[in-house]
Structure formats: C-alpha cells, structure tokens
Amino acid sequence: MKSDSVHRYLKNKVSYNEKIHLTLIDPDKVTSFEELERIADELFSAGTDAFLVGGSVGVSERDVDEVVKALKKFNLPVILFPGNISGLSREADALLFMSLLNSDDPYFIVGAAVLGAPIVLRYELEALPTAYIIVGYGGAAGYVGRARPIPYEKPELGAAYVLAAKYLGMKYVYLEAGSGAPEPIPQEFIFTSSKVKGDAVLIVGGGIRTPDQALNAVKAGADAIVTGTVIEKNPKQATEIVKAVKKYSRKH
Ligand code: 1GP
C-alpha cells in the first residue's frame, strides 16, 4: 500500500456517506501483545475501518514498529498518528502528516514535519495532509504541542481554523479534544466546522466513551471518529461504539 490507496480507501467511504471509525492504539499503553491482538480482533469484527498508532509521550520508533506489525494481521490500513518524529515506522501504510495549526510553537506547526519528511519519503509512507486543531481540554497533545486550545463555546473560531485548513489544501482536518477529555467536542462546534470544511475529511476525537457520544459526533457532521481511551478501559464498550457508528452508516 504505497501509493494513495489509504486516502482512496477513506475518501471512498466518505463519498458513500459511510461514517468511519478509527481505532487508536497508543504504543505507550500496550502492556501485552496477546491482549492487543485480542481487542484488535474484536474491533475488527465489529467493523472498525482502520488503525491509528501514536501517542504524545513515551513512544519510540521500535515500540511503534511492534504495534504496527501486530495490527497488520487484520488487513486494514495502519495509519501513524505521530506525536513527534519518533512516531514513524516503515511498517505502516500511511501517516497523518500533521500541522498543529493552533500551536504557539513553530516546531509543532511545521518543524517536526520538516524533520520527518525525508523519513516519510525513505519509508515510502503515504502522507495524509492533516490540519490538527486542538479544542477544549486538549490533554497531553495540547500540553506537549503548546497549543492554545479553542474553547468549546467558540465554534466560530474553530470554523475559522477549518476554513484556513481548507484554503491551505489540507485533505484531513482533525478536531482533537485531547485523549481522555472529560467531555467530547460539542455538536454545535462540530456542525459549525463541518459546514466550511469543503472536501476535507473531518476527523473528531477525544473523550468519546459511549455509542451516543459517537453518534452525536457523526450526526453533527464528523466523517470519522477516533476512540482510544475507551479501548484501553472498556473494550466491550469500544466494540459497541464501532457497531453503533457502522449501523448508523448503513441506515443513512
Ligand atoms: C486522542 O482523539 C484521540 O488523540 C482519542 O481520544 O483517548 O479520549 O478516545 P480518547
């Protein structure tokens, strides 16, 4: 999978109005590979569309390699979601090639991308150009990335970032509340962003713990939702979220 096939795979789903579920695995949180494969198998059977692999803290390239190799067995795209250049792996299919648009630090806006780009070329990874926008709580991603998170009460500010991302030619926009956010991004915020996103794929994550919260996000206009923490804390519930998203897709 070394051309634009992951992008085509995801865009094809969006074009049929299918909502995408992305399973996020943080290599720093993996304690047992047997357990990882068991949970990944359940999520695969429930219909998750792809795996994201990444984290903000404590992730080495070797850790990422091992997790990616374990997930490749499922015949789904494995997409890197790197917190830094140590989050790259030649074993993956693609990566969210990100600019953290609302960081105050040029390193996270473009510096890490510059350092990582030659590695992406050498590893022949498919780059998915992604505007990463941190909202509300922000979590470790917001703290490490020196973001100024956009308040949940300011959807118009979020929409201005999304519009800027569109004009910059970003194909993906990721609204991130931060891993373990106490509350997911409100519907009005997602809706306002979805109205201006154009052809970009709108990814929403952070704090989604229940099927209802996942459905709220897709009903408000998210093309894809990400769940991470709930997979670690309550894999059964995570499976229910995947089923709910895929069932909604079939009905709409
Ligand atoms: C974090 O958006 C992801 O980068 C997922 O967040 O861990 O809260 O599901 P959760």
Side-chain angles (χ1 to χ4, degrees):
M1 230 182 250
K2 296 294 181 189
S3 58
D4 70 338
S5 53
V6 175
H7 179 60
R8 264 189 283 130
Y9 168 83
L10 296 171
K11 279 294 279 186
N12 189 43
K13 286 180 183 281
V14 173
S15 70
Y16 285 101
N17 225 3
E18 183 179 340
K19 300 297 182 178
I20 296 166
H21 178 271
L22 301 170
T23 289
L24 173 62
I25 305 294
D26 181 344
D28 188 43
K29 308 273 169 56
V30 173
T31 48
S32 134
F33 280 89
E34 291 77 44
E35 182 71 353
L36 171 67
E37 287 180 30
R38 193 184 59 72
I39 293 169
D41 190 42
E42 280 175 23
L43 293 163
F44 171 73
S45 303
T48 192
D49 297 288
F51 293 106
L52 283 186
V53 179
S56 302
V57 182
V59 179
S60 75
E61 183 160 334
R62 181 187 269 189
D63 301 331
V64 180
D65 275 344
E66 286 173 1
V67 171
V68 172
K69 278 188 205 156
L71 296 173
K72 292 283 286 184
K73 294 175 190 134
F74 296 98
N75 204 22
L76 284 179
V78 181
I79 304 167
L80 302 172
F81 175 36
N84 211 325
I85 54 169
S86 59
L88 299 176
S89 160
R90 62 173 82 235
E91 308 293 334
D93 298 305
L95 85 159
L96 298 183
F97 194 83
M98 294 185 287
S99 171
L100 204 180
L101 290 192
N102 59 329
S103 174
D104 278 341
D105 185 341
Y107 179 79
F108 291 100
I109 302 170
V110 73
V114 171
L115 295 179
I119 307 173
V120 170
L121 178 68
R122 195 163 69 241
Y123 288 0
E124 297 181 26
L125 294 167
E126 180 185 340
L128 307 174
T130 304
Y132 193 42
I133 300 167
I134 298 193
V135 186
Y137 168 73
Y143 178 82
V144 173
R146 296 174 185 267
R148 253 182 307 130
I150 303 168
Y152 279 172
E153 303 73 25
K154 295 286 170 198
E156 68 280 8
L157 253 182
Y161 271 94
V162 174
L163 206 48
K166 180 175 101 166
Y167 293 151
L168 285 165
M170 297 294 197
K171 293 184 177 158
Y172 295 79
V173 173
Y174 190 149
L175 296 179
E176 170 71 274
S179 189
E183 290 297 328
I185 301 175
Q187 278 192 302
E188 190 195 344
F189 198 107
I190 299 169
F191 180 73
T192 310
S193 292
S194 78
K195 288 288 148 214
V196 295
K197 76 181 183 72
D199 286 338
V201 176
L202 184 63
I203 305 171
V204 173
I208 297 173
R209 291 183 188 78
T210 67
D212 280 349
Q213 288 172 332
L215 291 177
N216 282 344
V218 298
K219 286 176 189 167
D223 297 307
I225 65 133
V226 180
T227 54
T229 305
V230 70
I231 297 168
E232 294 150 21
K233 300 238 159 95
N234 188 348
K236 194 169 177 319
Q237 174 86 319
T239 309
E240 295 306 318
I241 291 174
V242 180
K243 286 184 185 158
V245 170
K246 301 322 289 184
K247 188 173 168 198
Y248 177 85
S249 290
R250 284 193 295 274
K251 283 192 178 161
H252 293 83

